[in-house]
Amino acid sequence: MKVTEYYQASVQEVMKKLDVTQYGLNDYEVRGRQKKYGYNELKEGKQKNIFQVFLEQFQDFLVLILIVAAIVSIFLGDMDSSIVILVVIILNAILGTVQHARAEKSLNSLKEMSAPVSKVKRNGEILEIPSRNVIVGDLLILEAGDSISADGRVVESYSLQINESSLTGESLAVDKVANTIHETELALGDRKNMVYSGSFVTNGRGAVAVTSIGMNTEIGKIAKLIDNAKEKKTPLQVNLDKFGKRLAIGIIFICIIIFALDIIRGREMIDSFMFAVSLAVAAIPEALSSIVTIVLAVGTQNMAKENAIIRKLPAVESLGSVSIICTDKTGTLTQNKMTVQEIYTGEQFFSSSELEPANPNHKKLLDFAILCNDSMMLRDKTIGDPTELALVKLGHEFEMSEQLIRGLHPRVGEIPFDSTRKLMSTVHRMGNRNVMITKGAVDELLPRISRVDSSSSTIITNEQLEKINQANTAFSNAGLRVIAITYKDVFSSHISEKDEQGLTFVGLIAMMDPPRDESAQAVADCIEAGIKPVMITGDHKITAIAIAKQLGILKSPDEAIEGKEIEKLSDRELKNKVESFSVYARVSPEHKIRIVKAWQEKGHVVAMTGDGVNDAPALKQAEIGVAMGKTGTEVAKDASAMILTDDNFLTIVKSISNGRSIYANIKNAIKFLLSGNAGAIFVVLYATLFALPAPFLPIHLLFINLLTDSLPAIAIGLEPHNKKLMKEKPRHINESLLNKKFVSQVGFEGLIIAAVTIIAFQVGLSTGDTAVATTMAFATLCLSRLLHGFNCRSEESIFKIGIFSNLAVWIAFLLGFTILNFVLINGLFEVANLTSNQYLMIYGLSLVPLVIIQVRKLFFGSAKA
């Protein structure tokens, strides 16, 4: 049998061909097949090795000019200059390579953390494993929301529907069957008993025998010429690249003018050329993009340690602008540990502990709650929806095993739960009859109930219906989630939604998912940060209000609205009213995207949480789609920009805080680079305008560029996040990094650095020795820029944020200070011998910018850019 003809074989033939039983593969078979078939993954395009990355560092236009300058210097006999130029170029290339390797390592580790998982049956048990470990012959267990990780033949289907748009382009979901198809040469879209990697389950559940993995899948064939691992630059990097190019053009223009003036004044052409090139290299912040990359990579790695996996780097930049968090209630704001609290059955109220399995009504309620249920408890592991697990756990409290009960009354048909119907129905064989059990939302089931369970299963009265309604309201007012259990006899195991009428009422089960201990404080932190938390839930309005009040999300019940009310509003009306509501209850996934759009049209940046298949459009619509790592479907994760590994609202708030800090750190690192480089340009312009000797030798400029650019800037980018940033309002998403205030701040700080350097230069000139003057200017500029790293750590004074709170800045400074003094003491790089007074002058002048800027921040505040 060919792999392409699996759809023509029966289930039995397929299972025999793959040599697998209904219990799945055993451990021995798994090991053997893993060696034979390898891993289930698409091979990425050929990755660059370290040497290739190293060579790419020499492709920059300015670096090529420097190489030419070094060659010219060799021919002119100036070996010292050529050696220094080549050393600087090589060291910069090594630093760039190290930065690239660190960023790749961080991003690859994040990719592994967010890798998809699959459910398979092995050794008779359902296990959750990384999708790359799925092998040929595995039995994939599929449920609504799962991404399909391999090609396979359907062996069981219960209303299974698959979206195969990634392969076929057909947006409508396809109904999948286990039947044999006898036609030949069918197109992929017509193979109704096959599923394919890259598609996802939109409804129902089923089991699939894996026939192909990795590059042998249909999507693998398409992917052979595609590199799926390419990382795009973030918007900030793109903007900085554009800015860097404009800045480079401006600086080169200035350098050409200085070169021309030097020639006119009679300076040697090679010296003028070397100086102009060196100034350009020293003044252009070529490290901008790499600084952003490494700060983002390290920042996202740190966020991953705090349970937030960033899937898309631009999300980090957007986090600081979030002004609305649309969050689900269950599991995010609450503990996601549903526990049954109250029962209503036989027109009486009971606590969960008061149930008596010996009572036929109580026994029926427990049995039906366990039968119409897909969850299970295996040893110390639980599988399934928290609400359903609460019912199974209730049974365990009375020593009722779900495996035993389900074995006695096997399931022969079902209509799976979906968020639109808010119901689930299963058919079970009980003796010689088929019984359909339906459980779900009370307001959905009440209109469908015609009888009440009793010895004679009597027709329900309006009074009894009212009592059920009152019990539901009482439970909901107490913040409890309520589900109703009903049943009816059916003739066939094949049921449809039309059968979910004329039901017999058994009872109500009320459970609680208490708020997380930290949620109330997280909500308060959001509000203080100018962020509005909004609860969007499928729960009853009264239940949602009760939880929202406890957490501080809502003050008045008027701030809550239900999905049915949203239905009546046009998009324009919703936009006008959206700011009036803090709680959206009883919403369907279709409402979520409308709510997100309404907030966005009001000018807000929205973070949206979701876990289901139908949440994917809203997750994509939001600037920050946040998927749940524990309960989220693979489809939701794939549509998201961020995944919470702990499904905790507090983690979203922490991520926003981290996002604001990362952006601030990048901004401060850029300010450091630009202000220091501006200082060098101002000094050269001063000397040129007043016809003074060149304040620096080309070697000096190259050394300054090497010592004072990358390491201090990276250290600033590693500044611990400042909690005070969460007391500010969100940054506007379109706010330019390089605005007028930022540029004026860069100019002001650059002028102070230039001023002290010019003073040192003039003091040196007063000795009559130009070499002393250039040495003093070089040393002062270099040291003042190293010290300026402390100024650029924050908008606040270092005395407020902690002098030693960022050890990386201290390491960068001490390393630079040591190397600078080694050069000065040993007379390297054409520096003159200095007196002790001249050393003191250099140290004193270099401290002046630090003192002035710190005093200004400490007593007058810093103009925020």
Side-chain angles (χ1 to χ4, degrees):
M1 186 194 304
K2 296 180 181 178
V3 171
T4 51
E5 297 175 348
Y6 274 111
Y7 68 91
Q8 294 176 297
S10 67
V11 170
Q12 292 76 16
E13 289 172 330
V14 170
M15 299 286 276
K16 185 177 180 180
K17 172 69 178 176
L18 295 173
D19 194 19
V20 62
T21 70
Q22 60 180 330
Y23 301 105
L25 301 173
N26 59 43
D27 293 338
Y28 175 78
E29 291 170 325
V30 169
R31 286 193 293 271
R33 297 188 188 205
Q34 196 83 71
K35 291 178 182 177
K36 180 179 179 180
Y37 295 105
Y39 288 107
N40 177 34
E41 55 191 3
L42 300 179
K43 294 179 182 176
E44 297 182 348
K46 191 175 180 182
Q47 299 293 306
K48 297 174 185 174
N49 58 42
I50 290 294
F51 184 66
Q52 288 175 311
V53 174
F54 178 73
L55 291 178
E56 285 182 356
Q57 308 302 311
F58 298 95
Q59 293 178 0
D60 186 86
F61 177 69
L62 290 173
V63 173
L64 293 175
I65 292 177
L66 274 180
I67 293 171
V68 171
I71 294 170
V72 171
S73 295
I74 292 171
F75 282 110
L76 293 175
D78 189 359
M79 290 299 295
D80 287 347
S81 292
S82 60
I83 290 171
V84 171
I85 292 170
L86 291 173
V87 167
V88 169
I89 291 171
I90 291 169
L91 286 175
N92 266 326
I94 291 171
L95 184 60
T97 305
V98 170
Q99 289 176 347
H100 181 276
R102 281 193 67 184
E104 283 295 308
K105 185 178 179 181
S106 294
L107 293 172
N108 286 338
S109 65
L110 291 180
K111 191 188 292 184
E112 289 173 10
M113 290 179 71
S114 59
V117 294
S118 298
K119 291 189 287 290
V120 297
K121 183 182 278 189
R122 290 179 180 175
N123 300 307
E125 291 187 359
I126 297 174
L127 307 172
E128 197 170 68
I129 63 171
S131 292
R132 73 189 296 266
N133 291 339
V134 170
I135 55 175
V136 173
D138 260 329
L139 290 182
L140 278 180
I141 306 302
L142 301 179
E143 295 176 337
D146 288 348
S147 285
I148 298 172
S149 57
D151 290 2
R153 170 69 159 83
V154 178
V155 296
E156 289 180 16
S157 175
Y158 299 98
S159 304
L160 185 65
Q161 293 183 329
I162 308 288
N163 184 306
E164 297 177 339
S165 58
S166 60
L167 280 173
T168 65
E170 177 56 56
S171 59
L172 294 177
V174 180
D175 291 309
K176 292 295 180 178
V177 297
N179 302 340
T180 306
I181 299 174
H182 298 289
E183 297 174 53
T184 58
E185 298 182 2
L186 284 180
L188 291 180
D190 294 325
R191 299 177 188 178
K192 300 295 179 67
N193 59 7
M194 297 289 293
V195 300
Y196 298 101
S197 178
S199 53
F200 61 90
V201 184
T202 60
N203 191 50
R205 62 185 183 87
V208 170
V210 174
T211 57
S212 301
I213 62 171
M215 298 303 289
N216 292 321
T217 62
E218 293 298 326
I219 204 166
K221 296 170 188 175
I222 298 170
K224 283 182 180 177
L225 300 177
I226 300 174
D227 179 0
N228 291 320
K230 289 184 178 177
E231 290 291 335
K232 293 181 180 179
K233 288 188 175 182
T234 72
L236 179 59
Q237 286 174 304
V238 171
N239 290 335
L240 287 176
D241 284 347
K242 290 179 182 177
F243 169 78
K245 288 176 183 176
R246 290 197 295 266
L247 184 65
I249 292 169
I251 290 171
I252 290 172
F253 180 71
I254 292 172
C255 291
I256 291 171
I257 293 174
I258 291 172
F259 172 73
L261 288 173
D262 278 353
I263 296 296
I264 292 170
R265 287 172 182 160
R267 193 176 180 185
E268 290 290 332
M269 179 174 289
I270 184 60
D271 291 338
S272 300
F273 172 74
M274 287 294 297
F275 182 77
V277 169
S278 301
L279 177 62
V281 173
I284 295 171
E286 65 274 3
L288 273 181
S289 187
S290 61
I291 294 295
V292 172
T293 301
I294 199 164
V295 173
L296 283 174
V298 173
T300 51
Q301 190 71 24
N302 290 334
M303 290 171 73
K305 292 175 184 175
E306 295 187 348
N307 302 311
I309 297 174
I310 301 295
R311 294 185 65 255
K312 301 169 185 175
L313 280 185
V316 180
E317 300 168 22
S318 302
L319 275 169
S321 300
V322 168
S323 54
I324 301 292
I325 302 178
C326 294
T327 176
D328 188 20
K329 175 179 72 67
T330 305
T332 310
L333 292 167
T334 59
Q335 295 177 19
N336 202 20
K337 294 178 181 177
M338 299 298 291
T339 306
V340 174
Q341 303 286 322
E342 301 287 340
I343 308 289
Y344 176 80
T345 185
E347 300 187 19
Q348 289 183 306
F349 290 90
F350 302 89
S351 69
S352 59
S353 60
E354 291 174 337
L355 286 178
E356 297 176 1
N359 182 314
N361 285 343
H362 295 189
K363 179 72 164 58
K364 182 181 286 187
L365 182 68
L366 287 169
D367 281 349
F368 284 9
I370 291 170
L371 288 170
C372 187
N373 192 318
D374 288 326
S375 66
M376 63 185 73
M377 296 175 67
L378 300 172
R379 300 188 186 97
D380 57 346
K381 186 177 181 181
T382 58
I383 299 174
D385 176 77
T387 300
E388 293 197 333
L389 277 170
L391 303 176
V392 172
K393 288 176 183 176
L394 180 64
H396 276 242
E397 290 178 17
F398 297 100
E399 299 182 354
M400 296 175 66
S401 165
E402 68 271 21
Q403 287 94 340
L404 179 60
I405 293 171
R406 291 169 187 171
L408 290 172
H409 308 295
R411 184 185 297 187
V412 293
E414 69 176 288
I415 305 175
F417 176 86
D418 72 61
S419 55
T420 303
R421 291 166 50 250
K422 299 186 177 70
L423 301 176
M424 173 183 181
S425 295
T426 56
V427 181
H428 300 267
R429 192 69 185 164
M430 294 186 176
N432 58 359
R433 63 193 182 113
N434 290 325
V435 177
M436 182 185 79
I437 306 167
T438 301
K439 80 172 194 301
V442 181
D443 52 354
E444 289 290 334
L445 277 175
L446 274 180
R448 305 167 188 258
I449 294 170
S450 61
R451 309 181 79 84
V452 63
D453 192 54
S454 66
S455 57
S456 58
S457 187
T458 57
I459 295 174
I460 197 164
T461 65
N462 289 333
E463 184 182 353
Q464 288 172 319
L465 277 172
E466 182 57 30
K467 284 183 178 180
I468 295 170
N469 199 37
Q470 287 174 357
N472 178 46
T473 302
F475 289 148
S476 298
N477 284 340
L480 300 175
R481 173 179 289 185
V482 191
I483 61 170
I485 305 291
T486 65
Y487 75 97
K488 69 182 280 191
D489 285 2
V490 290
F491 293 107
S492 170
S493 60
H494 300 291
I495 55 172
S496 68
E497 293 180 22
K498 292 179 181 178
D499 292 304
E500 295 174 329
Q501 301 289 339
L503 303 171
T504 300
F505 176 77
V506 180
L508 301 180
I509 300 178
M511 56 193 74
M512 174 178 280
D513 179 15
R516 291 177 181 264
D517 295 335
E518 64 274 18
S519 290
Q521 184 58 52
V523 167
D525 291 343
C526 268
I527 295 168
E528 186 179 24
I531 303 167
K532 182 180 177 69
V534 175
M535 181 193 290
I536 301 180
T537 177
D539 272 356
H540 197 282
K541 182 178 178 180
I542 299 173
T543 307
I545 289 172
I547 297 293
K549 273 187 175 180
Q550 288 183 49
L551 297 176
I553 291 176
L554 155 150
K555 293 180 181 178
S556 166
D558 295 337
E559 296 175 44
I561 185 173
E562 285 190 319
K564 61 184 180 183
E565 297 172 69
I566 295 174
E567 291 280 2
K568 299 174 185 176
L569 299 175
S570 66
D571 288 344
R572 185 172 182 178
E573 288 172 330
L574 181 58
K575 174 189 170 184
N576 293 334
K577 293 184 177 183
V578 72
E579 292 179 323
S580 304
F581 303 114
S582 300
V583 172
Y584 298 84
R586 274 299 192 243
V587 296
S588 66
E590 289 75 21
H591 296 142
K592 292 183 179 181
I593 194 167
R594 290 188 63 200
I595 294 166
V596 171
K597 284 181 177 178
W599 280 111
Q600 288 173 327
E601 287 172 8
K602 281 288 190 177
H604 292 280
V605 175
V606 181
M608 171 79 195
T609 69
D611 56 9
V613 177
N614 292 333
D615 290 331
L619 290 172
K620 284 189 174 181
Q621 177 67 33
E623 283 81 1
I624 306 288
V626 183
M628 302 297 105
K630 289 182 178 179
T631 59
T633 60
E634 293 305 323
V635 176
K637 292 175 186 177
D638 192 53
S640 67
M642 185 167 83
I643 298 173
L644 305 184
T645 59
D646 61 355
D647 293 9
N648 194 338
F649 180 78
L650 178 62
T651 303
I652 305 175
V653 181
K654 284 182 180 177
S655 299
I656 291 173
S657 177
N658 282 321
R660 288 188 180 188
S661 291
I662 290 170
Y663 187 88
N665 289 348
I666 290 172
K667 184 176 173 181
N668 291 333
I670 293 168
K671 183 171 72 172
F672 168 79
L673 290 170
L674 296 183
S675 55
N677 291 358
I681 294 171
F682 290 150
V683 174
V684 173
L685 286 175
Y686 167 81
T688 303
L689 290 173
F690 290 94
L692 298 174
F696 312 107
L697 297 178
I699 293 175
H700 296 164
L701 290 169
L702 294 170
F703 180 84
I704 292 168
N705 182 64
L706 173 67
L707 192 66
T708 64
D709 267 15
S710 296
L711 286 178
I714 292 171
I716 292 167
L718 301 179
E719 183 75 21
H721 77 267
N722 188 346
K723 293 180 180 179
K724 291 183 179 179
L725 289 172
M726 284 299 281
K727 294 183 179 179
E728 299 175 3
K729 288 190 175 181
R731 170 179 54 86
H732 194 279
I733 192 70
N734 295 321
E735 177 187 301
S736 172
L737 175 74
L738 306 165
N739 54 38
K740 288 182 180 179
K741 287 184 180 180
F742 183 85
V743 172
S744 64
Q745 202 168 349
V746 166
F748 171 74
E749 294 173 4
L751 281 172
I752 297 174
I753 293 171
V756 296
T757 306
I758 289 168
I759 292 170
F761 182 55
Q762 290 288 11
V763 169
L765 286 176
S766 68
T767 65
D769 189 339
T770 303
V772 171
T774 57
T775 300
M776 289 187 70
F778 154 68
T780 303
L781 178 63
C782 198
L783 186 54
S784 60
R785 287 185 64 173
L786 286 171
L787 287 165
H788 188 50
F790 293 100
N791 290 325
C792 294
R793 284 178 54 193
S794 170
E795 293 290 344
E796 294 184 283
S797 167
I798 56 174
F799 298 103
K800 289 185 178 180
I801 62 173
I803 297 174
F804 298 102
S805 58
N806 185 351
L807 293 179
V809 172
W810 277 98
I811 292 170
F813 167 73
L814 292 172
L815 183 63
F817 181 75
T818 303
I819 294 172
L820 174 62
N821 280 280
F822 179 81
V823 168
L824 293 174
I825 292 168
N826 290 279
L828 303 176
F829 303 152
E830 299 184 35
V831 300
N833 291 323
L834 301 177
T835 66
S836 57
N837 286 337
Q838 288 167 340
Y839 272 105
L840 290 174
M841 176 68 73
I842 290 167
Y843 295 155
L845 287 171
S846 299
L847 280 168
V848 170
L850 178 66
V851 172
I852 291 175
I853 294 169
Q854 287 303 313
V855 167
R856 181 171 181 255
K857 288 183 176 183
L858 196 59
F859 295 104
F860 304 104
S862 178
K864 287 182 181 176

